[in-house]
Amino acid sequence: MIDDLVRAVEATLFAAEAPMTPEEISRHLNGAAVKDALAELAAHYQGRGVELVERGGRWHFQTAADLAHLLRREKEDLRRLTRAATEVLAIVAYHEPVSRAEIEAIRGVQTAKGTLDVLMEAGWVRVAGRREVPGRPTIYGTTPEFLAHFGLESRRDLPGIDELRAAGLLDPVDDAYASLTAEGPADSAANGARPEKDGESA
Amino acid sequence: MIDDLVRAVEATLFAAEAPMTPEEISRHLNGAAVKDALAELAAHYQGRGVELVERGGRWHFQTAADLAHLLRREKEDLRRLTRAATEVLAIVAYHEPVSRAEIEAIRGVQTAKGTLDVLMEAGWVRVAGRREVPGRPTIYGTTPEFLAHFGLESRRDLPGIDELRAAGLLDPVDDAYASLTAEGPADSAANGARPEKDGESA
Amino acid sequence: MDGEGAQLAFDADAEWDGIGSGATEDAALYLELDGWEGPLDLLLDLARRQKVDLRRISILELVDQYLGYIERAESLRLELAADYLVMAAWLAWLKSLLLLPRDPEMQPSPEELALKLQLRLQRLGAMREAGARLMARDRLGRDVFSRGAPEGLRVDRRNRWHCDLFDLIQAYGQVKARTAPVVHMVRERPVMTLESALSRVSSLLGLALDWTDLRQFLPVLSRDDDPRLVKSALASSFVAALELAKQGKADIAQSETFGPLMLRAAK
């Protein structure tokens, strides 16, 4: 017979209208420790038509991805993002926290006010505070809904983020230029920190 | 490994926004015969936190009946009675049965309807009928819970006016009155009363 | 390499002339005029057409392609946004720097400018690709679905009110204290009325033989008397003196400002 706590966690997550953190589940179940139950449930649903997944620290049940072709036809109400919005979303996700000026520096064009609004309305981008530099610009980041929507357990799962970081493609142009000219390309990232020294020796 | 059709039926019912007949499920899955799959799923979910049930020929997942209490939980917030409510409660206790107009006459301040509601929600005041005078105003009285909460055997245990005077409780308190009539934020009213209380207990 | 670039541009040119008939890749390029997200976007697409890694693109070739594109757009009188023209001017300037003999003093060097442009294109390209990969994922609500009809978890909040007996009794005490009927006691104030001053001054005036200081007419008051009574007696007696003078029963004289006020019966 299945454990009572596991059943309770299963019922709670099935009934929930939004993904829940373990703390929220625990609070709902009068403080029970739910970590093991979550692991047991995730294992149980592995390979079934419905799966238990963790997205940005929140858990929810969803249909298995390989069944998309069966389920998709009825649900085509998903809004298509414009190219600009897609690009801005990618920049926010891979660079967060990021200011509008930084987004514009990468894209080389002004970002229409509406573009960020659309992403915030979709619930994927949020204001993440202000950068403590002159002008205190607003900075943006992604939301747990963003991770849930794109099936990412955390930002580390962003496709190709490790390669992009290793290639220095997430660094600003000036930093990348400094590290490129300082030393050979192989360990350019590591040398980025001490350009002066290399400049002297050159 | 679990059968693909069973997985598909599981995902379909999970994602469905309303219970589905086997025919609807079948149509959704390119005409597959789903009866066995439904039976297998129902058996699989038997005893789990979520169950697959048939109601009037339509199938859907629902929380196991014994876990229904998880869907609706009650949470209690401990809150301190406001000064206005405390005064009204005191007047009801000393003068019951008493109408709202009489409470206002005694307090010398208009009494919001919400204040009596709070006292009734707290379970300390109840409607005790109507006074047989023109307009038949509702009259209020205390409840047994009121006596229990305040540790009173009966209303006769409430100290009389002479005792109040002896305890200095009939001395006007300018601060308290000012903060009361100002109807400022809750904590200012509490602060107005606080030094008084400390003075008494010291 | 430069020659190749020119060749490519010419090819594009040829295609462009024949746009009415064939929708080739290059023709499509020109038709998408409104589709570019700014000059960098256009440059990135042109760079991609070099079909090499973005790290190995030829900047000179890219510049030629861009300038060629802008020229043709202008010759067709297509309206170009200002930033495309600004970029064209900058690229033309960069090209001239790259081709002309070096000025070793120049900062930043044309090579640095070219490399930085290349780095910018790489970054934009990386983000464009990342966006595409993101969009291709199994997305919630499109490819995978959460429960269609969740029962929902409801937490009904209830207030549990707290109040203790002392607060209750104290509150009642305050209500009573606040609303106790207020009785106003008007205390008798120590004053000398005008009437009594008038009768006193006029009777004393008959006894006085010569000029007499007004202060002599005041009742004798002890040190313990209320100073307000003293003031009141002085004020009333002064008004009484004025009244008597007005009635022609008394003369008033004062030899200096603030000096003693002298009084005598009118002759």
Side-chain angles (χ1 to χ4, degrees), chain B residues 79-123:
Chain B
R79 294 182 59 182
R80 197 173 178 78
L81 218 53
T82 62
R83 272 217 65 84
T86 308
E87 282 191 12
V88 172
L89 178 61
I91 291 166
V92 173
Y94 273 90
H95 295 264
E96 74 179 75
V98 65
S99 71
R100 187 158 143 199
E102 288 159 352
I103 294 170
E104 289 179 352
I106 296 168
R107 278 189 79 208
V109 183
Q110 282 227 330
T111 297
K113 174 87 172 68
T115 308
L116 275 163
D117 288 345
V118 162
L119 294 173
M120 289 199 274
E121 187 198 81

Side-chain angles (χ1 to χ4, degrees), chain C residues 166-199:
Chain C
F166 182 84
D167 289 337
L168 185 74
I169 293 165
Q170 188 199 40
Y172 188 68
Q174 282 183 14
V175 169
K176 291 308 259 185
R178 196 167 74 221
T179 57
V182 180
V183 179
H184 286 286
M185 306 286 283
V186 181
R187 245 169 293 169
E188 206 173 324
R189 288 181 56 206
V191 292
M192 184 174 196
T193 63
L194 182 58
E195 288 74 30
S196 69
L198 206 54
S199 69

Side-chain angles (χ1 to χ4, degrees), chain A residues 11-32:
Chain A
T12 301
L13 280 173
F14 248 80
E17 279 156 344
M20 293 175 88
T21 63
E23 292 71 36
E24 286 167 346
I25 302 167
S26 172
R27 219 174 303 135
H28 198 78
L29 299 176
N30 297 318

Side-chain angles (χ1 to χ4, degrees), chain C residues 203-221:
Chain C
S203 62
L204 289 175
L205 199 59
L207 299 177
L209 297 174
D210 204 351
W211 292 101
T212 311
D213 190 333
L214 176 66
R215 280 172 289 192
Q216 299 297 317
F217 296 92
L218 301 187
V220 179
L221 296 165

Side-chain angles (χ1 to χ4, degrees), chain B residues 14-15 61 63 71-73 75 77 79-81 83 87 95 106-107 121 149 164 170 177 180, chain C residues 147-148 151 154-163 167 169-170 172-175 177-179:
Chain B
F14 173 84
F61 281 109
T63 306
L71 301 179
R72 254 191 85 167
R73 277 189 51 243
K75 221 182 142 195
D77 294 329
R79 294 182 59 182
R80 197 173 178 78
L81 218 53
R83 272 217 65 84
E87 282 191 12
H95 295 264
I106 296 168
R107 278 189 79 208
E121 187 198 81
H149 181 90
L164 293 181
L170 291 189
Y177 179 65
L180 190 79
Chain C
R147 193 165 175 203
E151 288 102 330
R154 279 207 4 232
V155 178
D156 295 338
R157 289 188 173 273
R158 278 192 55 208
N159 292 319
R160 206 171 93 222
W161 294 95
H162 175 76
C163 181
D167 289 337
I169 293 165
Q170 188 199 40
Y172 188 68
Q174 282 183 14
V175 169
R178 196 167 74 221
T179 57

